[in-house]
Amino acid sequence: MTQHLLITAATLPDGTRADLRVQDGAIVETGSGLSADGGRVIDADGLQALPGLVDLHTHLREPGFEQSETVLTGTRAAAAGGFTVVHAMANTLPVQDTAGVVEQVASLGAQHGYATVRPVGAVTVGLGGERLSEIGAMAASRAAVRVFSDDGKCVSDALLMRRALEYVKTFDGVVAQHAQEPRLTEGAQMNEGALSSELGLAGWPAVAEESIIARDVLLAQHVGARLHICHVSTAGSVDIVRWAKARGIDVTAEVTPHHLLLTEQLAATYDPHYKVNPPLRREEDVLALRAALADGTIDIVATDHAPHPVEAKECAWPEAAVGMVGLESALAVVQEAMVETGLLDWSGVARVLSTTPARIGRVTGYDAPLAVGSPANITLVDAAARSDFDVARLHGMSVNSPFLGRSLPGRVMAVVHDGRPTVLDGALLEPAEVTTA
Amino acid sequence: MKHLLSTRDLSRVDAVRILDLAEDMADVATRAVPKLPTLRGKTVANLFFEDSTRTRLSFEAAAKRLSAEVITFSAKGSSVSKGESLKDTAQTIAAMGVDAVVLRHPASGAAATLAGSGWIDAAVVNAGDGTHEHPTQGLLDAYSIRKRLHGAGSRGRDLDGVRVTIVGDIVHSRVARSNVWLLSTLGAEVSLVAPATLLPGSIERWPVTAGHDLDAAIAARPDALMMLRVQAERMTSGFFPNEREYAREWGLSAERFARLGADTMVLHPGPMNRGLEISSAAADSARSVVLEQVTNGVSIRMAVLYLVLSGNDGTDA
């Protein structure tokens, strides 16, 4: 089925305005005063156009945890947030450690049509941290896995990490490390510091993250492999990544939206909606992360979208699940933390939320954003809007957002995924209008 | 006062008022019939998700002396072991008609969560939440110190200039936290003594002085020396090498006790590990306040239950 679309008068990331004509899934013409050619017209006057957003770190929970999220509900959340690609983390049940599971997850995504689902393969069998999973089979599968991660758990064994880095290199893949020294974080509840001492919550020290990153950048250098660091959360980690890049080590790093905006002070409420792993850190960490994202030390923003059912957060803090949903709020939070503060312009946003994560994940079609010939993955944002982020903005199955009630800028008005709209007039389209099945 | 969740947010005026009210409650115990009709018709639920016979009995005695009904829930052998949540347990007990919940829970912040959740309407009294706070213990310790120092003239007084040294596992102690905030609010000079592994990080932000040397602390002749219980699980998780070394460095041995100033009182929240953090010579001496702490605990809990259950009394201004 072909769709003709004409997006008129959009503001491109470089600040210029243009019409974009879309046909057969690709951008076929740009300019001004283009003809709709009988297709649907999307009036983008006053809207900021971005390439479709690419999330390198999403928990879709299917198979195994469908009470929290499914591929359908998670990709609906993704589309509502302006994403056209999500990388589905491996901690499903069964774990995404075989070709069969990753192919199933990818095909569910393709069938629903809201976003391209790129499964992440587990580094070790069952996330057990003992034996490498069938990385080659997952890479060669129809899911064409290129990102491998035990996210949620750290590949803490140094020899196993070395082998993983070397082996994944064979398939042009990357190991995305969840940097958390397990012994230093047993029972950890929040950032370790004066506040954790006062609140009586077991501390998650920065050194538990930084020591693993330091070890892994050196391992990556030693074996000449590519390394990606998930959810960098401390100023010290930024220093190590900056040092590694200066030495020419092939490392990339991500930061989550919540680590760009929220601080540990929120733990004083004992409200488990602020419980996340790695934990919210100090104000000085937040500022260091923003500066690192602006100067390129941190390459990308990734959501770590982590849905949980209501009961997992309706309990005392130490008993609550870790994690926050983030797909629907990511762009707004990045605008608040980076654009409104003057640290990043919209071409920078396109870089950290689309072009670079696509490059790290080896997703094709995102290297020449919004250019003629590129697949039509386009997000249109009303950057001038501002409103209290409320539960109506959430389209996944879970509502464990730390941003509810917070005033945030920007509103996703339209999203085109491979030439087909998933969001129009600020509203998510129905499954029947989107499905490719 | 709607709830009592911590001593951190008590003002000096409020704290002194609670201590003074506890003096009145203590007078009740000296009567022929040691009972007041004040809370007749009220029901207090003890929700104990963690074993604590002493604290539970103390709250029970306090509620009964004020003529309240008491119902008790203990986690052991209850629905909690079948996976019931704090929310469901609290709502179940509340549905039976409860005016105040006394909550002991292994999770830090549990009392704050229950009080702020909207799950129940009842007043919440924190009877110990994880490694966070144990406010009635802090209050009874402050009361005991004040009583020893000022006797019948205690009413209306704070602890200005009183020097209190707390020794032991500070980092995991809710008793230490409640004491640190309350005693310093009341004007006391608090110092902490522990191995570095058992002192909280960023201790410099606390209103205390901290050190590692018990002998130096004893030589400084504090007004009160509070020995904390060493929990069994600390002995196996590498916070210190073994019991012998702990007792040698941080135990109030008979020999150390002999060097203690003649006016220094000795406190312990109980239950005591005799021979580990405290010797029998210290525990059983005239300078020991341990049994007074237990007696005073009932008076303090009477005062707290009275305040949270008798409506607005102006103390939460």
Side-chain angles (χ1 to χ4, degrees), chain A residues 51-54 77-85 327-328 331 378-379 412 414-415 423:
Chain A
L53 308 183
V54 177
F83 289 87
T84 51
V85 179
L327 284 167
E328 301 98 323
L331 185 56
I378 304 162
T379 294
V412 173
V415 179
V423 174

Side-chain angles (χ1 to χ4, degrees), chain B residues 214-233:
Chain B
L214 179 54
D215 292 312
I218 285 172
R221 303 178 73 89
D223 297 298
L225 186 65
M226 185 183 301
M227 307 304 297
L228 296 177
R229 174 178 171 78
V230 178
Q231 303 286 342
E233 60 263 35

Side-chain angles (χ1 to χ4, degrees), chain A residues 192-202 268-272 282 284 310-311 313-319, chain B residues 8 85-87 105-110 112-113 119 129-133 171 177 181 200-203 205-206:
Chain A
E192 181 169 313
L195 188 61
S196 67
S197 292
E198 182 187 323
L199 297 177
L201 292 171
T269 63
Y270 288 109
D271 179 346
R282 305 162 305 161
E284 46 265 57
V310 169
E311 59 271 20
K313 293 287 189 182
E314 268 198 339
C315 52
W317 178 289
E319 298 171 340
Chain B
R8 182 87 160 104
S85 68
L86 171 61
K87 177 185 175 180
H105 200 282
S108 298
T113 299
W119 299 335
D129 61 327
T131 55
H132 177 225
E133 282 225 32
V171 72
R177 281 174 183 73
W181 309 129
S202 312
I203 194 76
R205 307 255 197 111
W206 288 25

Side-chain angles (χ1 to χ4, degrees), chain B residues 1-74:
Chain B
M1 190 163 79
K2 170 71 177 150
H3 308 291
L4 178 67
L5 305 177
S6 70
T7 62
R8 182 87 160 104
D9 30 62
L10 283 179
S11 67
R12 188 184 292 215
V13 171
D14 287 347
V16 170
R17 188 171 290 153
I18 296 171
L19 300 186
D20 288 353
L21 186 57
E23 292 280 350
D24 300 337
M25 297 298 178
D27 292 344
V28 174
T30 63
R31 298 184 190 178
V33 180
K35 209 160 169 157
L36 287 175
T38 321
L39 297 183
R40 188 174 290 156
K42 302 280 189 183
T43 301
V44 174
N46 283 328
L47 255 59
F48 276 60
F49 289 79
E50 203 179 62
D51 284 343
S52 172
T53 310
R54 302 164 159 258
T55 304
R56 184 169 55 76
L57 288 177
S58 181
F59 270 106
E60 250 179 62
K64 285 177 175 165
R65 279 188 199 166
L66 293 170
S67 304
E69 300 295 322
V70 181
I71 57 177
T72 296
F73 170 93
S74 294

